[in-house]
Amino acid sequence: MSAPEFRPAALAMAPTLSAILAVSAGVMLLTSGATPSEPTRFALLLAFAPDLLIEISHFVSSILGLVLLLLAFGLRSRLDGAWWAAVITLAAAAVLAIFKGLNWEETALLTLCCLLILPFHEAFPRKAALFRMEITPGWLLSAAAALGGAAFCGWWIFTHTEYADKSWMRLMGDQDAARALRSSVAAGIVLLAIGVWRLIATPAMPPVVDDTDPEFDRVRAILAKAEDAEPGSNLALLGDKRFLFSASGESFLMFGVRRRSWIALGPPVGRRDERMELFWRFRELADAHAARAGFYALGPDDLPDTIDLGLAIQKTGESAAVPLAAFSLVGRRREVLRRNWRKAGEGGAAFEVLPAGEAPMEELKTISDAWLGHHAGGEKGFSMGGFDPRYVAEFPVALVRSEGKIVAFATLWTTAHKSAFSMDLMRYSDEAPKNVMDYLFVELLQWGRDEGYLAFEFGMAPLAGLEDRPLAPIMSRVGRLLYERGEEIYNFQGVRRYKDKYDPVWQPRYIAAPQKWAIPFLLADIGLLSSGGVSGLTKRPKRPAT
């Protein structure tokens, strides 16, 4: 394999290998600082180096060892600042190793580590500042264990070292022990200070941002010009989300919190070049709060990023999108759909789209209440919209009238660059024509094409497309069983069949988490967030009077 072919693989492995090298070098420096110097070399060093330089080199080397242990966390997270700091720290420690006790082997190993890391700067693309690095409790505990192990090793060696009867040897041993003790104590104090700083400096959990918060206008502004956004990104305006904003203020990632689960809904929204920074910040912030981080409703384009994040991935279903340029009612496959649409129109149905904020809310609320009376679960949240006049007023509303009266409506999720649009709430009254859903969908597809949108997203078919094979993941096999046998819980196959008659392009949807075992817990918490808790799940529709 030639060097150009080998380089992509080397870049992919560089963050992990660099972290291992940093940890190894850090442990070596801590152990070296806590153990006796080689007497002959040290006596030679005393002949040409001042005592102050020796003391400073010994003292600083142990602190640099601790710094390398902590920088390993940043190297694993692909931080550009961690790469620069690691290179400088290794180079400085290599020089100090000479003045610490003529430890040329240490100098050689530290120089080798520095040279191995040096060519792979491009493997560390994250530009986040080092002071924003969320060092996790586990990483701090590991650093403390390494420091404690090095100190114990030094204590054991010093207590079992036999010095000669010459007084200068005993004096050298006593001074060496004092230097080792000072270095270990200094490193311990620095680690304690970093731990205290982390407790103070770790950002608090971002609050829920609703329409009364000034940040809500910031969310609207990002959605209005986002170059990277899906129709579902409009759920940010529901008023029940928490947000992480990028340093530029032009991107955000929205998430919900239930108990120990922090669940990001979809990928970051805004600028494409800020996606990974927000992904990493969310994962690190959740970890700093000892929470389970999850990323829900991800698409195929998000998989490379989740792999870079080191996440486990599970398919949760498939979403349907209809390319509008190719949609037509012509042909035998469209015969039923064409007949239903025509019958509704001949029966007096009329379609129109009102701009955001112009829909008659009282009439829509009456229809919504009647619709909820026939459906289980009540209003939704988090991953699904609910009827709230303030929220509905954020979007254009498609109406179906019959004999001048509104009998059905749908709120529309649009995108800034018109890559796609979708429908959020769709509700109709008992007076609506029999085939009002087909009529509304056909009219929406034609309206979207006329408005210049490229595709209409029909939303997700949960659990669709999961495999039930002997070697398939257990969650996929359980999901497939629910899809085939769980019609009493949810109309899984019916949803898929209904959307299929529009010949959509099906794309998989995923959930990602740091550990595979955390995914079932995250899915349960997503269900509870979306339904409003256990009480929302158990709500049943009102029975009509007999």
Side-chain angles (χ1 to χ4, degrees), residues 186-206:
I189 291 173
V190 170
L191 182 61
L192 177 63
I194 291 173
V196 172
W197 171 81
R198 182 196 166 280
L199 289 174
I200 296 171
T202 295
M205 182 191 302

Side-chain angles (χ1 to χ4, degrees), residues 164 184 306 372:
S184 296
T306 59
L372 285 172

Side-chain angles (χ1 to χ4, degrees), residues 116-130:
L116 288 173
I117 293 174
L118 201 58
F120 298 106
H121 184 199
E122 60 187 292
F124 302 87
R126 295 185 60 208
K127 301 300 181 183
L130 271 180

Side-chain angles (χ1 to χ4, degrees), residues 66-123:
L66 176 64
V67 169
L68 284 170
L69 287 180
L70 299 178
L71 284 176
F73 180 82
L75 291 170
R76 191 189 67 169
S77 300
R78 302 174 182 268
L79 286 181
D80 174 71
W83 180 87
W84 280 108
V87 169
I88 294 169
T89 303
L90 287 167
V95 174
L96 291 175
I98 294 294
F99 296 101
K100 186 173 63 173
L102 293 181
N103 297 329
W104 62 268
E105 298 94 343
E106 272 188 39
T107 297
L109 288 172
L110 291 167
T111 303
L112 179 61
C113 289
C114 185
L115 292 175
L116 288 173
I117 293 174
L118 201 58
F120 298 106
H121 184 199
E122 60 187 292

Side-chain angles (χ1 to χ4, degrees), residues 109-194:
L109 288 172
L110 291 167
T111 303
L112 179 61
C113 289
C114 185
L115 292 175
L116 288 173
I117 293 174
L118 201 58
F120 298 106
H121 184 199
E122 60 187 292
F124 302 87
R126 295 185 60 208
K127 301 300 181 183
L130 271 180
F131 69 87
R132 296 183 67 176
M133 182 173 69
E134 295 290 345
I135 300 173
T136 65
W139 207 271
L140 284 174
L141 185 62
S142 298
L147 179 59
F152 177 79
C153 181
W155 170 82
W156 190 90
I157 293 174
F158 274 111
T159 55
H160 290 78
T161 298
E162 296 291 338
Y163 289 104
D165 291 335
K166 294 180 181 180
S167 59
W168 68 272
M169 286 289 286
R170 288 197 300 272
L171 178 62
M172 184 186 296
D174 292 340
Q175 291 176 342
D176 216 12
R179 275 191 294 271
L181 181 61
R182 284 195 296 269
S183 299
S184 296
V185 170
I189 291 173
V190 170
L191 182 61
L192 177 63
I194 291 173

Side-chain angles (χ1 to χ4, degrees), residues 14-62:
T16 301
L17 292 178
S18 299
I20 292 172
L21 290 173
V23 167
S24 302
V27 170
M28 180 179 69
L29 287 171
L30 288 173
T31 305
S32 174
T35 52
S37 302
E38 205 282 318
T40 305
R41 293 185 187 183
F42 197 77
L44 182 61
L45 178 65
L46 285 172
F48 70 87
D51 290 347
L52 181 60
L53 179 59
I54 296 172
E55 294 289 343
I56 291 174
S57 299
H58 208 286
F59 186 84
V60 173
S61 289
S62 293

